[in-house]
Amino acid sequence: MADVKIIVAGASGRMGRALVREIAQGHGVVLGGALEAEGHPDLGMDAGSLAGLQPNGVKLTADPLPLLADAQAVIDFTRPLVSTMLADLAAQARIVHVIGTTGFSAADDKRIEAAARHAVIVKSGNMSLGVTLLAALVAQAAKSLPDYDIEILEMHHKLKVDAPSGTALLLGEAAAKGRGIALDKHWVKSRDGHTGAREDGSIGFATLRGGSVVGEHEVILAGIGERITLSHTAEDRSIFARGALTAARWGHGKKPGLYGMTDVLGL
């Protein structure tokens, strides 16, 4: 089988550079192009050099159209505005779009769903294979322990702009799914002052920010006299890059649709 040619969006960012490094390892993928925003100071630079590798001849460009026309997939850890635009273009090109971006609005999600009628879109708040498995365990635990209180604690580096994190929301969705409820009807995203007793059936979120933490998540199921904690620690961004590449390879040749990492792992 031929290598899957992949475009990396946001190629000069932390995740973009991690993707370029992982693609350089081979494993059935090849770098087909590197995208950055119009006016970005790194435009025209070599993607390999920016990622700390030997030059690979792939220059950063702001024009996605010629790249997408000759690729099988685009991987995108950018911003909602960029991700929705790329989803539209992936639909036109009939290619795979792997979205690791978080912080989407309801309108953004509808636009991505529309694009998935013509493109294979794999979208997840966390591309880690370990987090995907954790979410499956959380769903099972929430179902098996219906009377236990659920709290989700997350910590990330101080530059992260959205809260709760996409991963925390993904885990919250897993817990809600396990209990057959809608997360947005039962979540508690903040507590301050005299809040009163905890409401039964709610799913709480707590957010910490600081330093250079890549990502830490805990799902606590608290019962009477006992507490269960399911957790995941991201030690390096390469885990997200590897997961995204796994999703791109998996999606190549699939029917158009909106998928998640649980589909990729067959969970």
Side-chain angles (χ1 to χ4, degrees):
M1 181 181 292
D3 289 344
V4 177
K5 186 178 290 188
I6 293 175
I7 308 304
V8 174
S12 70
R14 287 171 298 191
M15 276 307 307
R17 284 176 280 155
L19 281 162
V20 171
R21 289 192 292 270
E22 287 299 319
I23 291 171
Q25 303 299 316
H27 307 299
V29 293
V30 62
L31 183 63
L35 286 169
E36 259 304 345
E38 190 72 54
H40 195 283
D42 291 334
L43 287 176
M45 293 188 65
D46 185 275
S49 298
L50 281 171
L53 306 173
Q54 291 295 316
N56 57 20
V58 177
K59 307 297 184 183
L60 269 67
T61 177
D63 186 1
L65 293 180
L67 299 182
L68 297 177
D70 190 42
Q72 286 80 53
V74 55
I75 299 179
D76 158 34
F77 290 80
T78 56
R79 296 178 293 121
L81 179 66
V82 176
S83 295
T84 51
M85 178 271 291
L86 287 174
D88 293 341
L89 295 178
Q92 293 174 25
R94 303 295 200 271
I95 64 173
V96 180
H97 184 193
V98 178
I99 304 176
T101 306
T102 59
F104 291 103
S105 67
D108 294 331
D109 284 333
K110 287 186 179 297
R111 186 170 166 185
I112 290 170
E113 289 170 8
R117 291 199 289 266
H118 304 288
V120 174
I121 297 182
V122 182
K123 179 176 176 286
S124 177
N126 191 303
M127 288 290 164
S128 158
L129 303 181
V131 164
T132 303
L133 178 58
L134 174 62
L137 296 174
V138 168
Q140 182 60 54
K143 179 180 180 180
S144 300
L145 303 170
D147 297 326
Y148 282 49
D149 298 323
I150 298 176
E151 294 287 315
I152 300 172
L153 172 67
E154 59 102 341
M155 182 170 185
H156 285 83
H157 55 87
K158 64 184 181 181
L159 299 179
K160 187 169 179 60
V161 298
D162 58 312
S165 70
T167 302
L169 293 173
L170 180 153
L171 295 172
E173 289 284 3
K177 180 180 179 181
R179 292 194 172 167
I181 60 176
L183 178 61
D184 62 358
K185 303 297 184 184
H186 293 83
W187 62 23
V188 178
K189 291 186 176 179
S190 63
R191 297 185 177 100
D192 184 47
H194 192 280
T195 62
R198 187 185 197 279
E199 184 176 345
D200 289 343
S202 61
I203 298 175
F205 291 85
T207 296
L208 305 177
R209 293 287 180 266
S212 58
V213 177
V214 175
E216 295 181 1
H217 294 84
E218 292 186 1
V219 180
I220 302 165
L221 294 99
I224 304 302
E226 67 178 351
R227 185 170 68 247
I228 298 166
T229 302
L230 302 171
S231 66
H232 179 272
T233 299
E235 299 175 347
D236 190 284
R237 286 183 176 81
S238 63
I239 65 170
F240 309 126
R242 287 194 292 272
L245 291 172
T246 298
R249 289 193 298 267
W250 176 87
H252 183 47
K254 291 288 189 299
K255 292 181 179 179
L258 182 58
Y259 300 94
M261 287 300 288
T262 53
D263 298 302
V264 175
L265 290 189
L267 295 174

